[in-house]
Amino acid sequence: MSRKNATVLAFGDYRAKPRTLYFTRSELNQLLGLYSRQVARGIWRDYAIDHREGMALFSVFRHTHEAPVYRIIKTAPAEFTVQSGRQRLRVAATLAEALEFFQTRLILVAAERA
């Protein structure tokens, strides 16, 4: 009868690795809803979803072969960031708050009296 040797591994080595983050179904519905509205307006044309160490990214493009116009990034402590290039445009605790950046802002214009 042969015996196999056991290998002891440090548990800390496995906990230190950042876990892969994903968008939830609810978050994807919000992102794709915004995307479809912007496509209907003719503003956006393409999108990509990426996963990197400790973050999930939703990138939108005006033209398919260019750099993304905006990136919506989800990071580990449940933080959402809207970026354009390297510029951080909005940081929020929820995706809904982060996506408020894309809402059209109405401006009140005073009427002239005749």
Side-chain angles (χ1 to χ4, degrees):
M1 212 171 176
S2 65
R3 291 187 163 194
K4 294 183 179 180
N5 292 336
T7 305
V8 177
L9 300 173
F11 187 66
D13 292 343
Y14 292 97
R15 290 184 63 130
K17 291 182 181 179
R19 62 186 181 102
T20 304
L21 284 181
Y22 299 98
F23 291 109
T24 64
R25 181 181 301 246
S26 164
E27 292 166 348
L28 281 174
N29 285 338
Q30 291 177 56
L31 290 167
L32 293 174
L34 170 66
Y35 173 76
S36 64
R37 287 189 298 275
Q38 299 291 55
V39 167
R41 291 180 182 162
I43 299 172
W44 294 349
R45 177 172 254 169
D46 200 4
Y47 76 93
I49 298 174
D50 298 313
H51 301 96
R52 297 186 185 162
E53 287 186 20
M55 67 175 64
L57 298 103
F58 185 86
S59 305
V60 292
F61 303 84
R62 281 202 182 118
H63 302 287
T64 305
H65 301 292
E66 293 182 357
V69 178
Y70 295 104
R71 281 193 174 135
I72 296 122
I73 304 168
K74 177 182 180 179
T75 54
E79 180 180 84
F80 294 90
T81 306
V82 176
Q83 283 185 342
S84 180
R86 293 185 180 199
Q87 185 178 8
R88 296 174 108 193
L89 304 173
R90 185 96 182 235
V91 178
T94 66
L95 181 59
E97 291 173 2
L99 296 183
E100 285 177 2
F101 173 79
F102 296 103
Q103 290 181 351
T104 54
R105 293 163 183 86
L106 300 177
I107 300 171
L108 181 63
V109 179
E112 293 185 25
R113 295 185 180 187

